[in-house]
Amino acid sequence: MPTAEPSSPPTDATADRFLVECEVLRLSTRPLGPILAVQFLLNAGVAAIFGWLYSPLRAALWLAGIAAVTVMRGFFPQRVPHTLTPATLRHAQRVHTLRTGLWEAAHGLAGVLLFNTANPMHQLLLGLIVMGMTLSSAFSVSFYTPAVRLAITLLMVPVIAMGLAFGAPPMVAVALLGLLLLALMLKQVGSHNRQLEENIGLRLNAHALREQALAGLRDSQQAQAERLRFFSAANHDLRQPVMAIGLQTAVLREQLDQGASGAAVQGTVAALADAQAALETLTHQLLEIGRIEAAAEALERAAVPLAPLLAEVARQAGGGRVLVRCPAGARAWSDAVALRRILANLVDNAVKFAPQGRILVAVRRRPGAWRVEVRDGGIGIAPEAQARVFGDFEQVGNVE
């Protein structure tokens, strides 16, 4: 029985947040499949337009970069471990952010490679295409907020910088509008992803509540089965003294009718008294179990001095047969009433099944705890019964 308090577990809020982040990462890294093919075809169309209008070489270089990151995402996706820890989750989030940044940086190179400084119309067309890419990528490239914000920034900053530095006046105005759009998108992405995280949290909580309800139902069914088994065993145990009382009563009636000797009558009366005592003991045990089942006494942990507690248990056992060895400063962190009941039951069993010899109750020091031992020279428990004797309501010798 250790005397130290257990360490505090992580809070429920921290655990819930961890589960939500794991689910967000898994959603963000799920295979895209056909979506990647459609996006590549659209990018190939953009490259074809600017290859025809501006520079085939620059368009081919940009499309080659797009092809490289498409192969990365399509054929070498990020593998998230089935079981995540806080450390592996942070590592997976960093890897996902890097991969997402590479993906959108390749798209953002269009703002440099396809920017035609000599043609304002081509500049405006490129600006509108990049803004369209931004609007589509903001809510599809990832659901992890840092990764999405990095992706949007890498996608828009190149064309905004080129527009402000080398663009015609209309393109400068579009670049300024792009800065405003970038700020709004960065804010909107955070709000959108927070809403997603809240929805995931609600779904996880609903799943947890459903699992708790099912676990409670299983526990209730198991408790009902154990209760039925207990009452079956109790019925068997109660029937024995009741039958003994009935038989001894019949014997006593016959002895009285036949004028039996006083010694014979006294023997029958003694047998009746023994049966009555056994019945009273069983009734007391049933009341004790009922009190525990009803949780009539709430457990309150405190530092319980073991020496006076064991001395009182030994005194109530009577007969002077119980010897206590306990260091004066030994204390257990437990409920005093429940601990006394457990120790009293152990000592009572020792007295009952070891009719001769002394009974030793010893307290021995162990690392961080005290070990309480009840030793006697009774009949013991057969090796084949030791495995089942610790089950609920088990009694050695009772087959029911």
Side-chain angles (χ1 to χ4, degrees), residues 15 36 52 54 77 126 135 153 165 171 181 233 249 252 275-276 293 338 361:
L36 287 176
W52 174 56
Y54 176 41
L126 179 62
L135 292 173
T153 302
M171 184 58 196
L181 176 63
T249 301
L252 179 60
Q276 185 272 335
E293 283 279 324
V361 181

Side-chain angles (χ1 to χ4, degrees), residues 166-178:
F166 306 105
M171 184 58 196
V172 173
V174 171
L176 293 175
L177 290 175

Side-chain angles (χ1 to χ4, degrees), residues 40-119:
F40 182 77
L41 291 176
L42 292 175
N43 290 325
V46 173
I49 292 173
F50 280 90
W52 174 56
L53 294 175
Y54 176 41
S55 170
L57 177 60
R58 287 172 172 263
L61 287 175
W62 179 69
L63 188 59
I66 297 298
V69 294
T70 301
V71 169
M72 176 193 72
R73 293 195 71 180
F75 295 95
F76 304 97
Q78 182 179 359
R79 305 295 184 185
V80 178
H82 180 70
T83 301
L84 288 166
T85 65
T88 57
L89 173 63
R90 296 291 171 257
H91 174 72
Q93 287 173 334
R94 288 192 292 268
V95 172
H96 174 67
T97 302
L98 176 61
R99 289 170 60 93
T100 304
L102 289 174
W103 168 263
E104 292 299 347
H107 288 76
L109 282 177
V112 177
L113 293 175
L114 305 182
F115 192 90
N116 188 351
T117 57
N119 192 317

Side-chain angles (χ1 to χ4, degrees), residues 30 86 148 200 214 231 234 236 238 253 280 307 370 393:
R30 71 193 190 283
V148 179
I200 292 174
L214 292 175
F231 281 116
H236 176 271
L238 287 171
R253 183 182 296 109
E280 183 178 355
W370 292 100
F393 315 126

Side-chain angles (χ1 to χ4, degrees), residues 113-135:
L113 293 175
L114 305 182
F115 192 90
N116 188 351
T117 57
N119 192 317
M121 293 302 296
H122 295 175
Q123 296 171 11
L124 291 176
L125 178 61
L126 179 62
L128 293 176
I129 289 175
V130 172
M131 288 183 184
M133 289 181 179
T134 303
L135 292 173

Side-chain angles (χ1 to χ4, degrees), residues 220-308:
S220 177
Q221 292 173 341
Q222 182 178 359
Q224 182 68 16
E226 293 290 349
R227 193 173 291 109
L228 291 174
R229 189 163 61 90
F230 164 72
F231 281 116
S232 176
N235 176 62
H236 176 271
D237 292 341
L238 287 171
R239 193 164 58 243
Q240 291 177 344
V242 170
M243 291 179 62
I245 290 174
L247 290 173
Q248 295 299 330
T249 301
V251 171
L252 179 60
R253 183 182 296 109
E254 184 177 351
Q255 288 175 339
L256 293 175
D257 291 341
Q258 296 178 358
S261 63
V265 173
Q266 289 296 327
T268 304
V269 172
L272 278 170
D274 291 341
Q276 185 272 335
L279 181 60
E280 183 178 355
T281 299
L282 288 172
T283 304
H284 175 73
Q285 291 176 352
L286 285 174
L287 292 174
E288 187 79 3
I289 293 173
R291 188 159 53 246
I292 295 173
E293 283 279 324
E297 300 175 5
L299 298 180
E300 297 181 0
R301 293 193 302 172
V304 181
L306 292 176

Side-chain angles (χ1 to χ4, degrees), residues 129-189:
I129 289 175
V130 172
M131 288 183 184
M133 289 181 179
T134 303
L135 292 173
S136 65
S137 296
F139 305 108
S140 63
V141 68
S142 175
F143 301 103
Y144 179 50
T145 300
V148 179
R149 286 175 171 169
L150 175 64
I152 294 174
T153 302
L154 293 176
L155 180 59
M156 291 198 66
V157 164
V159 73
I160 292 174
M162 292 294 292
L164 292 175
F166 306 105
M171 184 58 196
V172 173
V174 171
L176 293 175
L177 290 175
L179 282 175
L180 179 61
L181 176 63
L182 176 61
L184 291 175
M185 292 301 296
L186 292 176
K187 180 179 179 181
Q188 185 62 27
V189 161

